[in-house]
Amino acid sequence: MGVAVIGGSGFYQLEGLEQREERVVTTRWGTPSAPLVKGVLNGVEVIFLARHGIPHRIPPHRVNYRANLQALKDEGADSIIAINAVGGIHPRMGPEALVLPDQIIDYTWGREHTFFADQLEEVVHVDFSYPYSERLRQQLVAAADACSVELQVGGVYGCTQGPRLESAAEVNRLERDGVDIIGMTAMPEAALARELDLEYATLALVVNWAAGRSEALITMEEIHRVINTGMINVLSLVREALARGEA
């Protein structure tokens, strides 16, 4: 089974990757965000892709999600661990918390969100009742236990359009909807993975309290500080997950 890791904000390379090979590829949907980096980590073959490009230059609503997912599929991936930086609403999901969500609500608009739009012989619908692979999720839970990394298991990821952050009133609405963490990149990525029959799980690092959940203003300086410290645990957990299950 081939595993891919999609890195979000602050996770631009897979440290420790051996036998590295960069591949510049294209797909019928266009070019992925960055070259695919193939290599071996803890004895497991891995493909890494930086979602926002290198350097970080592609905003969430401009990511070519279809090209990214198709390229990983074409290179042999059948499962994906996606890393996302998010804001926290739930009291237990504050800055530096790691969250393994089990549900998604999509608030995005105008994104190319399906492979099944044009020149179809028949309309295609995919079951998206449970967006994340339970096998991958349990693999990440076991990895967290092995690494002694605290992981919040379960939660609803609300995916907003971006690139601006949300207003306090919008966050109040999201909370009423049942959202626990807010990000901008889970959709349509997760749905496209389902359309390609790829197992998919999100590992989210909370980098700030959502608007109105703290008296402090949200600053990029503080977000980058949390990213720099929190991604150490993310990397440890991903490495352990790969070693334990070859994803």
Side-chain angles (χ1 to χ4, degrees):
M1 299 177 72
V3 60
V5 175
I6 298 178
S9 299
F11 200 96
Y12 307 122
Q13 60 181 341
L14 201 51
E15 293 184 12
L17 198 64
E18 301 175 343
Q19 303 176 34
R20 289 170 51 93
E21 174 193 0
E22 286 196 10
R23 287 181 52 79
V24 177
V25 301
T26 189
T27 75
R28 61 176 293 195
W29 311 106
T31 303
S33 298
L36 304 185
V37 181
K38 305 181 75 171
V40 176
L41 186 67
N42 288 355
V44 179
E45 293 186 357
V46 185
I47 308 169
F48 178 79
L49 174 63
R51 184 187 288 115
H52 296 282
I54 303 175
H56 184 123
R57 59 183 176 80
I58 307 173
H61 66 300
R62 295 296 193 190
V63 172
N64 190 337
Y65 295 96
R66 293 192 298 183
N68 286 353
L69 272 293
Q70 188 68 64
L72 294 173
K73 174 83 170 182
D74 292 346
E75 289 296 314
D78 52 26
S79 60
I80 294 172
I81 297 174
I83 312 301
N84 297 77
V86 301
I89 296 178
H90 194 286
R92 293 199 305 272
M93 299 177 187
E96 299 190 23
L98 284 178
V99 183
L100 190 65
D102 58 0
Q103 279 295 335
I104 294 173
I105 301 177
D106 186 8
Y107 299 94
T108 66
W109 50 270
R111 302 184 183 191
E112 296 290 353
H113 64 280
T114 181
F115 293 109
F116 302 117
D118 302 303
Q119 300 178 338
L120 303 178
E121 294 183 3
E122 60 180 354
V123 175
V124 177
H125 303 284
V126 296
D127 186 335
F128 202 56
S129 302
Y130 303 98
Y132 297 113
S133 161
E134 190 58 25
R135 183 187 70 83
L136 278 182
R137 293 182 73 253
Q138 291 306 316
Q139 190 169 308
L140 288 162
V141 170
D145 290 342
C147 293
S148 298
V149 171
E150 184 174 354
L151 182 65
Q152 300 291 333
V153 179
V156 178
Y157 182 128
C159 190
T160 59
Q161 178 71 358
R164 68 166 177 83
L165 299 176
E166 301 74 30
S167 70
E170 287 171 330
V171 172
N172 289 339
R173 174 207 171 190
L174 295 172
E175 183 175 39
R176 290 194 297 270
D177 285 352
V179 171
D180 298 302
I181 54 176
I182 310 171
M184 301 176 186
T185 52
M187 291 294 288
E189 193 172 273
L192 292 170
R194 180 61 53 86
E195 289 187 348
L196 290 176
D197 200 25
L198 296 168
E199 294 196 54
Y200 181 95
T202 283
L203 179 60
L205 171 65
V206 181
V207 298
N208 60 276
W209 283 114
R213 295 303 180 271
S214 169
E215 293 183 0
L217 292 176
I218 300 171
T219 66
M220 293 309 299
E221 290 78 9
E222 181 63 14
I223 287 174
H224 287 312
R225 184 195 68 77
V226 176
I227 285 175
N228 290 336
T229 56
M231 284 300 173
I232 296 172
N233 283 336
V234 171
L235 180 60
S236 297
L237 204 158
V238 169
R239 289 171 64 95
E240 180 65 25
L242 294 176
R244 295 176 68 85
E246 299 191 12

